[in-house]
Structure formats: C-alpha cells, structure tokens
Amino acid sequence: EVQLLESGGGLVQPGGSLRLSCAASGFTFSSYAMSWVRQAPGKGLEWVSGISGGGDYTYYTDSVKGRFTFSRDNSKNTLFLQMSSLRAEDTAVYYCAKARTYFDFWREDSWGQGTMVTVSS
Amino acid sequence: QSALTQPASVSASPGQSITISCTGTSSDVGGYNYVSWYQHHPGKAPKLMIYDVSDRPSGVSNRFSGSKSGNAASLTISGLQAEDEADYYCSSYTSSSTVIFGGGTKVTVL
C-alpha cells in the first residue's frame, strides 16, 4: 500500500524559511515522479512543483520560482521542499503526491494527508 | 496563469447524473490529452478519479467518466450516490511544463 507522510509544517514569520519532508513507502520510490500541491484556507488546489523519478528534472509554478526548491533522496525514499522568503500567500496545507510513472507529474494517483504551513507575524 | 474554469457548485438527487465542466485554453486543456479529475473530501487526501481525459484508475467506479472537446473537459457522474458528495477538481498539463488546477466544484447530493 502506498503511504505518503508529510512533515515539517508550522508557523513561520514572513521572509522566513521552512523545509517540508515527505516520507514514502509501499512502492519503488525512484521509479515515480512526485509533486507538491497546496490548498490555501478556503481555496482550491494549487500545483506547486514537480520532480522526475531520478530528481534530474524539476518544475515550479511561477509564484514560487526562485524561492522554493524541490529535491528528493531516493536512497531514503524522501522528498524535500525547501521554502524561503515565505509570504502570507504561501499559507496552505501542502500535500505530496505520487505520479503514475517516472515523469508524468501531472497525473497524481496517491496523496498524503498534508502538512499545514502558516506564514504570519 | 489563471485557474481552469469550473462551476462553483452542482447539485442533484441520488440516482441522477451530473456533469462538471472544466474550461481552459489551447495552452492547457485544448493542447494536451492530460486532463485529470480529483475528488476531495475536506480534511482527507484527494483521490484521482480520471486521468488522460477519460481513463479510470483501478478501483474507481465506472459511474465516473471523462471527456474533452476543444478547450473544455467534462466529468460525468452517473447514478449519483451520497458518498459522491465532495469537491471535484480538474487539472491539466500546460505548455509551460507545469500543472494548472480548476477552481473546484462542490457537488451536493440532495
């Protein structure tokens, strides 16, 4: 059974940094692309970033480019989202999600329960 | 880039059918057969219901079906059941190598 467990969320001041992690199990981690998707309070889903199975290709939505870095450690079956220069509008539940194949981060067939990030002074 | 356009809400009685539309542009929905639909019960993990416009993952009921015409995609739920009450989101791959979601549709079973 696929399991994805996000951690690292919390309260951070504007301009601060936070690193989210996502521990994966139940599948051959390095064979699948992964994504981060967020949902601000009372809002819809928003795709944040995607990464290929090997970690050699990463993609970001415009609003986080240059501020967020998506990486993975395939030896530890773990994803990381390093977030810096955080803004109030980054406040959201952050979900990690597994794609259906090595590269297709636009088809997410398993999701974690999410971790809450609150950016506020 | 603006979100894909979905109706805010749709409602129907049990047993009826509903269709949720998802309108984009030629740079996303119209340009690729990479439209997905997700079901999201608040507080839970989203669930993939349809991918590549009309394919269903294993385990998803055949009451759920998807289609596309031009820049618009649709999700149809037939034989509506109480457990179908949830938020539904479409998403599409884009020409910028990113993913764009719709604003979401709240489905209410009367």
Side-chain angles (χ1 to χ4, degrees), chain A residues 8-9 28 30 40 57 77 79 83-85 90 101 109 112 117:
Chain A
T28 305
S30 61
Y57 296 97
N77 289 3
L79 302 174
M83 305 185 294
S84 60
S85 301
D90 296 317
T101 68
D109 64 1
V117 172

Side-chain angles (χ1 to χ4, degrees), chain A residues 62-77:
Chain A
D62 284 347
S63 64
V64 309
K65 277 181 186 175
R67 300 189 300 123
F68 289 14
T69 301
F70 191 2
S71 61
R72 63 192 297 162
D73 184 339
N74 284 347
S75 69
K76 296 182 178 178
N77 289 3

Side-chain angles (χ1 to χ4, degrees), chain B residues 16-34:
Chain B
Q16 293 187 321
S17 294
I18 62 169
T19 296
I20 302 169
S21 61
C22 171
T23 303
T25 69
S26 59
S27 296
D28 38 68
V29 174
Y32 308 90
N33 288 323
Y34 293 149

Side-chain angles (χ1 to χ4, degrees), chain B residues 6-93:
Chain B
Q6 296 182 233
S9 62
V10 173
S11 60
S13 299
Q16 293 187 321
S17 294
I18 62 169
T19 296
I20 302 169
S21 61
C22 171
T23 303
T25 69
S26 59
S27 296
D28 38 68
V29 174
Y32 308 90
N33 288 323
Y34 293 149
V35 175
S36 298
W37 289 90
Y38 299 90
Q39 178 190 65
H40 190 202
H41 290 100
K44 294 195 171 184
K47 178 183 178 182
L48 179 66
M49 306 304 285
I50 295 287
Y51 66 97
D52 293 357
V53 176
S54 58
D55 290 342
R56 267 189 316 274
S58 168
V60 172
S61 171
N62 60 8
R63 297 186 298 104
F64 292 83
S65 62
S67 63
K68 191 187 90 166
S69 177
N71 295 338
S74 297
L75 173 72
T76 297
I77 309 174
S78 58
L80 201 62
Q81 299 179 0
E83 62 259 35
D84 298 333
E85 187 162 292
D87 297 322
Y88 290 82
Y89 294 89
C90 62
S91 74
S92 174
Y93 180 75

Side-chain angles (χ1 to χ4, degrees), chain A residues 28-112:
Chain A
T28 305
F29 184 66
S30 61
S31 295
Y32 295 91
M34 302 291 292
S35 282
W36 287 98
V37 177
R38 65 186 179 184
Q39 184 174 34
K43 303 293 185 181
L45 299 176
E46 179 189 23
W47 179 83
V48 174
S49 182
I51 192 167
S52 58
D56 41 352
Y57 296 97
T58 53
Y59 303 89
Y60 301 91
T61 192
D62 284 347
S63 64
V64 309
K65 277 181 186 175
R67 300 189 300 123
F68 289 14
T69 301
F70 191 2
S71 61
R72 63 192 297 162
D73 184 339
N74 284 347
S75 69
K76 296 182 178 178
N77 289 3
T78 303
L79 302 174
F80 302 100
L81 185 67
Q82 179 66 49
M83 305 185 294
S84 60
S85 301
L86 282 163
R87 307 165 180 167
E89 54 264 37
D90 296 317
T91 295
V93 174
Y94 285 72
Y95 296 97
C96 68
K98 167 191 166 291
R100 289 182 59 82
T101 68
Y102 182 90
F103 192 70
D104 63 339
F105 54 85
W106 53 90
R107 307 184 191 99
E108 307 297 352
D109 64 1
S110 296
W111 296 61

